[in-house]
Amino acid sequence: MSQKIKIDSLCVKEYPDQRTTKPHQLPLYATSSFVFEDAEEGIDIFTGKKQGHSYSRYGNPTIDTVAQKLADLEAFGTGLNAYGFLTSSGMSAISILMISLLKQGDTVLTQSDLYGGTTELLLKVLSNVGIKVIFTDLNNTDAVEQHCLNDRSIKLIYFETPANPTMKCIDIHSISKIAKKYGAFTCVDNTFCTPLIQQPLSLGIDFVIHSTTKYLNGHGNSIAGIIIGHEEKIKHKIWTTLKLMGATCNAWDAWLINNGLKTLSLRMAKHAENAMNIAIWLQKHPKIKRVNYNGLEDHPYHEIAKKQMKSFGGMLSFEIDLPLNEVLNVLNKLQFCTMAPTLGDVDTLILHPVTSSHLNVDKSQREANGITDQLVRMSVGIENQDDIIADLSQALQ
Ligand SMILES: *Cc1c(COP(=O)(O)O)cnc(C)c1O
């Protein structure tokens, strides 16, 4: 600067970056905007003639780096050129994707045991803008095909596998084949698996969404989501919707995901190993009526899971053979496991769906989906499994 400035102005001015060498770790770009070298650069960036950041709601180096890494993980080994958009939460990833793909009069075909927030989004929000929903059993491929044949307004088949909290699986490849035949988009919520366990894009699915809040971050200190796709035609539409609805992720949450991702492979292996051993232990316990874990050979969805999952993950649920008040007593006796309404953290988390996540779901509807008063959901952590088992054992005594 050639101009001599006063001391109070010096306080205000941003100082030049002192960086001389490349940082080893991804820096946290806590900046809402980016500086243009001159007026022409500003014009070129805004018109898209030149690649560059301008305003963090449109993109930010921290956020974009993590989004690309997640897209590369989902597309790993498929040869697809995937892109990713980080969003402010898993719910915003779902809503932005649906708003991008659908318009008034279009229908979403889905399952009845979706993540509760997704069901509510469809019934309470998207219904207001004329987007319809049909709930069906997505493992009944004849029914799925009949729906697509009879209702040409079905533009998206949206599903989760394994589903919460009963671990019911849906055959991804079968759904993607039917959807392609009828020109409908497909999206899988892959939150429970992460790309290390299941890669829907490799099975013909168009979009994958995640609540990165769960396993991808893994440490319970960030809320965010991601939309991953590979259709270039739709990429710009999703980006436009995201930037205009303002549901972009912030740099801090993205940075925390980046930290978590480094140990994702180690964590997922340990989650799955612990979950398998705990499922086997629970199955032998006299007070346990039923264990839902895809790794167990007698689980009704074991075969589908084996086909499309590399391991069986860290989520399970089980029914305690006691009346509701005694089930709650067992949970209150837990000392090592934590009761919290999230999943995918490094420590073991327990949830009683009927008195928490499914409190507002109609009793007959939840029971039809296997969510009984006796059901307990467990997000098995990466601790020493002996400590988890000892805690369960003393609480069940
Ligand atoms: C938590 C969760 C969501 C919602 O994600 P948020 O980050 O809480 O918005 C969506 N789908 C599944 C399967 C989840 O577990």
Side-chain angles (χ1 to χ4, degrees):
M1 204 179 310
S2 51
Q3 182 192 339
K4 265 202 156 34
I5 63 170
K6 303 282 194 302
I7 194 165
D8 45 353
S9 294
L10 187 59
C11 293
V12 175
K13 287 305 287 179
E14 182 71 12
Y15 249 45
D17 197 335
Q18 296 293 308
R19 200 184 104 177
T20 54
T21 41
K22 252 202 233 173
H24 170 217
Q25 297 294 320
L26 178 66
L28 176 62
Y29 283 91
T31 183
S32 55
S33 69
F34 298 82
V35 175
F36 303 133
E37 289 302 333
D38 49 39
E40 286 69 33
E41 187 181 37
I43 294 167
D44 288 349
I45 288 175
F46 266 106
T47 53
K49 214 161 104 188
K50 184 176 168 181
Q51 284 281 319
H53 289 106
S54 57
Y55 188 61
S56 276
R57 177 160 48 79
Y58 298 19
N60 167 302
T62 312
I63 300 165
D64 297 354
T65 304
V66 180
Q68 193 54 52
K69 187 173 190 176
L70 287 170
D72 290 346
L73 285 168
E74 274 296 348
F76 189 81
T78 63
L80 295 169
N81 214 347
Y83 51 80
F85 293 109
L86 275 177
T87 59
S88 58
S89 66
M91 283 315 302
S92 62
I94 299 164
S95 52
I96 295 297
L97 181 72
M98 289 193 179
I99 289 286
S100 302
L101 299 180
L102 306 167
K103 58 178 189 324
Q104 186 179 17
D106 289 347
T107 300
V108 181
L109 185 67
T110 189
Q111 76 216 67
S112 60
D113 51 350
L114 284 173
Y115 176 74
T118 311
T119 307
E120 281 193 72
L121 171 75
L122 286 160
L123 294 177
K124 297 182 180 167
V125 180
L126 295 180
S127 61
N128 289 336
V129 293
I131 293 167
K132 297 173 289 179
V133 58
I134 298 173
F135 297 101
T136 191
D137 174 7
L138 293 177
N139 274 324
N140 182 345
T141 47
D142 290 340
V144 172
E145 181 133 19
Q146 275 307 313
H147 279 299
C148 292
L149 190 68
N150 295 337
D151 187 345
R152 301 319 296 260
S153 75
I154 293 171
K155 294 286 157 58
L156 171 66
I157 306 183
Y158 179 95
F159 60 108
E160 288 167 26
T161 176
N164 183 25
T166 53
M167 304 300 126
K168 181 178 162 183
C169 292
I170 292 165
D171 189 318
I172 300 174
H173 189 57
S174 303
I175 296 291
S176 83
K177 270 197 307 198
I178 300 172
K180 280 200 167 65
K181 191 165 153 192
Y182 293 93
F185 289 117
T186 43
C187 177
V188 169
D189 179 339
N190 206 23
T191 301
F192 271 35
C193 284
T194 82
L196 292 184
I197 293 184
Q198 179 170 275
Q199 289 177 280
L201 298 184
S202 73
L203 298 166
I205 294 296
D206 300 316
F207 298 97
V208 168
I209 73 95
H210 282 276
S211 166
T212 65
T213 312
K214 315 293 167 55
Y215 287 108
L216 295 175
N217 165 267
H219 296 74
N221 53 16
S222 156
I223 292 229
I226 189 159
I227 303 168
I228 296 166
H230 56 89
E231 284 265 10
E232 279 302 317
K233 274 186 298 198
I234 300 153
K235 180 179 177 179
H236 193 73
K237 203 166 170 186
I238 297 171
W239 180 73
T240 305
T241 310
L242 176 60
K243 110 183 160 180
L244 294 177
M245 300 205 92
T248 27
C249 184
N250 65 79
W252 172 236
D253 282 311
W255 189 83
L256 289 167
I257 299 167
N258 195 53
N259 275 353
L261 281 182
K262 308 214 171 155
T263 55
L264 182 65
S265 166
L266 298 174
R267 286 189 283 115
M268 294 319 290
K270 184 73 173 167
H271 281 299
E273 181 194 327
N274 280 357
M276 186 73 213
N277 291 331
I278 288 163
I280 293 169
W281 182 85
L282 283 166
Q283 216 174 21
K284 291 190 199 131
H285 197 286
K287 283 190 187 151
I288 302 298
K289 195 158 68 176
R290 155 182 190 85
V291 182
N292 300 310
Y293 185 63
N294 286 305
L296 298 174
E297 279 174 22
D298 62 355
H299 189 262
Y301 297 92
H302 177 69
E303 288 306 318
I304 300 180
K306 216 165 61 174
K307 208 166 70 169
Q308 58 195 25
M309 292 165 70
K310 292 190 185 80
S311 81
F312 301 104
M315 296 299 300
L316 58 83
S317 60
F318 55 90
E319 284 181 303
I320 306 176
D321 202 1
L322 294 169
L324 178 61
N325 63 327
E326 287 183 50
V327 168
L328 297 180
N329 275 342
V330 170
L331 298 184
N332 287 337
K333 277 201 268 174
L334 289 168
Q335 289 164 5
F336 182 76
C337 304
T338 306
M339 229 188 290
T342 187
L343 62 98
D345 289 358
V346 285
D347 55 330
T348 298
L349 303 170
I350 292 265
L351 186 76
H352 183 244
V354 165
T355 54
S356 58
S357 57
H358 291 70
L359 193 63
N360 295 323
V361 182
D362 183 61
K363 189 176 164 90
S364 61
Q365 195 200 325
R366 65 172 160 77
E367 289 197 339
N369 286 324
I371 304 159
T372 61
D373 289 353
Q374 281 70 39
L375 191 75
V376 174
R377 184 186 84 177
M378 195 167 181
S379 168
V380 179
I382 62 169
E383 308 97 330
N384 188 305
Q385 66 179 42
D386 295 350
D387 290 322
I388 307 168
I389 290 174
D391 195 30
L392 289 169
S393 178
Q394 64 80 20
L396 284 164
Q397 220 157 51

PDB file of all heavy atoms in Angstrom, residues 1 9-17:
ATOM      1  N   MET A   1       0.861  -1.188   0.000  1.00  0.00           N
ATOM      2  CA  MET A   1       0.000   0.000   0.000  1.00  0.00           C
ATOM      3  C   MET A   1       0.898   1.239   0.000  1.00  0.00           C
ATOM      4  O   MET A   1       1.783   1.363   0.851  1.00  0.00           O
ATOM      5  CB  MET A   1      -0.891  -0.015   1.246  1.00  0.00           C
ATOM      6  CG  MET A   1      -2.150   0.784   1.065  1.00  0.00           C
ATOM      7  SD  MET A   1      -3.196   0.724   2.517  1.00  0.00           S
ATOM      8  CE  MET A   1      -3.291  -1.023   2.869  1.00  0.00           C
ATOM      9  N   SER A   9      -6.979   2.754  11.403  1.00  0.00           N
ATOM     10  CA  SER A   9      -7.226   2.000  10.162  1.00  0.00           C
ATOM     11  C   SER A   9      -6.383   0.732  10.129  1.00  0.00           C
ATOM     12  O   SER A   9      -6.821  -0.317   9.638  1.00  0.00           O
ATOM     13  CB  SER A   9      -6.870   2.849   8.936  1.00  0.00           C
ATOM     14  OG  SER A   9      -7.750   3.934   8.845  1.00  0.00           O
ATOM     15  N   LEU A  10      -5.174   0.831  10.699  1.00  0.00           N
ATOM     16  CA  LEU A  10      -4.286  -0.347  10.723  1.00  0.00           C
ATOM     17  C   LEU A  10      -4.944  -1.505  11.501  1.00  0.00           C
ATOM     18  O   LEU A  10      -4.807  -2.669  11.154  1.00  0.00           O
ATOM     19  CB  LEU A  10      -2.941   0.048  11.351  1.00  0.00           C
ATOM     20  CG  LEU A  10      -1.834  -1.000  11.309  1.00  0.00           C
ATOM     21  CD1 LEU A  10      -1.516  -1.409   9.878  1.00  0.00           C
ATOM     22  CD2 LEU A  10      -0.584  -0.496  12.009  1.00  0.00           C
ATOM     23  N   CYS A  11      -5.671  -1.111  12.570  1.00  0.00           N
ATOM     24  CA  CYS A  11      -6.396  -2.143  13.333  1.00  0.00           C
ATOM     25  C   CYS A  11      -7.393  -2.876  12.441  1.00  0.00           C
ATOM     26  O   CYS A  11      -7.584  -4.078  12.570  1.00  0.00           O
ATOM     27  CB  CYS A  11      -7.188  -1.513  14.487  1.00  0.00           C
ATOM     28  SG  CYS A  11      -6.173  -0.820  15.765  1.00  0.00           S
ATOM     29  N   VAL A  12      -8.028  -2.164  11.568  1.00  0.00           N
ATOM     30  CA  VAL A  12      -9.121  -2.718  10.763  1.00  0.00           C
ATOM     31  C   VAL A  12      -8.611  -3.574   9.612  1.00  0.00           C
ATOM     32  O   VAL A  12      -9.209  -4.605   9.278  1.00  0.00           O
ATOM     33  CB  VAL A  12      -9.993  -1.557  10.201  1.00  0.00           C
ATOM     34  CG1 VAL A  12     -11.061  -2.096   9.259  1.00  0.00           C
ATOM     35  CG2 VAL A  12     -10.611  -0.756  11.333  1.00  0.00           C
ATOM     36  N   LYS A  13      -7.499  -3.197   9.030  1.00  0.00           N
ATOM     37  CA  LYS A  13      -7.053  -3.858   7.793  1.00  0.00           C
ATOM     38  C   LYS A  13      -6.691  -5.332   8.029  1.00  0.00           C
ATOM     39  O   LYS A  13      -6.052  -5.667   9.023  1.00  0.00           O
ATOM     40  CB  LYS A  13      -5.813  -3.160   7.210  1.00  0.00           C
ATOM     41  CG  LYS A  13      -6.088  -1.816   6.571  1.00  0.00           C
ATOM     42  CD  LYS A  13      -7.153  -1.851   5.499  1.00  0.00           C
ATOM     43  CE  LYS A  13      -6.684  -2.516   4.213  1.00  0.00           C
ATOM     44  NZ  LYS A  13      -7.804  -2.526   3.226  1.00  0.00           N
ATOM     45  N   GLU A  14      -7.094  -6.179   7.071  1.00  0.00           N
ATOM     46  CA  GLU A  14      -6.661  -7.573   7.096  1.00  0.00           C
ATOM     47  C   GLU A  14      -5.217  -7.592   6.620  1.00  0.00           C
ATOM     48  O   GLU A  14      -4.884  -6.975   5.610  1.00  0.00           O
ATOM     49  CB  GLU A  14      -7.556  -8.409   6.164  1.00  0.00           C
ATOM     50  CG  GLU A  14      -7.250  -9.886   6.135  1.00  0.00           C
ATOM     51  CD  GLU A  14      -7.626 -10.639   7.416  1.00  0.00           C
ATOM     52  OE1 GLU A  14      -8.327 -10.084   8.278  1.00  0.00           O
ATOM     53  OE2 GLU A  14      -7.164 -11.789   7.547  1.00  0.00           O
ATOM     54  N   TYR A  15      -4.362  -8.300   7.358  1.00  0.00           N
ATOM     55  CA  TYR A  15      -2.949  -8.337   6.986  1.00  0.00           C
ATOM     56  C   TYR A  15      -2.686  -9.365   5.909  1.00  0.00           C
ATOM     57  O   TYR A  15      -3.423 -10.358   5.816  1.00  0.00           O
ATOM     58  CB  TYR A  15      -2.097  -8.624   8.232  1.00  0.00           C
ATOM     59  CG  TYR A  15      -1.271  -7.428   8.638  1.00  0.00           C
ATOM     60  CD1 TYR A  15      -1.854  -6.164   8.668  1.00  0.00           C
ATOM     61  CD2 TYR A  15       0.074  -7.553   8.952  1.00  0.00           C
ATOM     62  CE1 TYR A  15      -1.103  -5.053   9.014  1.00  0.00           C
ATOM     63  CE2 TYR A  15       0.832  -6.455   9.303  1.00  0.00           C
ATOM     64  CZ  TYR A  15       0.228  -5.190   9.325  1.00  0.00           C
ATOM     65  OH  TYR A  15       0.975  -4.109   9.652  1.00  0.00           O
ATOM     66  N   PRO A  16      -1.639  -9.162   5.107  1.00  0.00           N
ATOM     67  CA  PRO A  16      -1.339 -10.164   4.089  1.00  0.00           C
ATOM     68  C   PRO A  16      -1.016 -11.513   4.732  1.00  0.00           C
ATOM     69  O   PRO A  16      -0.431 -11.570   5.814  1.00  0.00           O
ATOM     70  CB  PRO A  16      -0.103  -9.609   3.367  1.00  0.00           C
ATOM     71  CG  PRO A  16      -0.019  -8.186   3.768  1.00  0.00           C
ATOM     72  CD  PRO A  16      -0.719  -8.018   5.075  1.00  0.00           C
ATOM     73  N   ASP A  17      -1.434 -12.552   4.078  1.00  0.00           N
ATOM     74  CA  ASP A  17      -1.192 -13.921   4.505  1.00  0.00           C
ATOM     75  C   ASP A  17       0.320 -14.148   4.648  1.00  0.00           C
ATOM     76  O   ASP A  17       1.070 -13.871   3.729  1.00  0.00           O
ATOM     77  CB  ASP A  17      -1.770 -14.834   3.399  1.00  0.00           C
ATOM     78  CG  ASP A  17      -1.965 -16.258   3.867  1.00  0.00           C
ATOM     79  OD1 ASP A  17      -1.269 -16.675   4.802  1.00  0.00           O
ATOM     80  OD2 ASP A  17      -2.809 -16.945   3.267  1.00  0.00           O
TER      81      ASP A  17
END
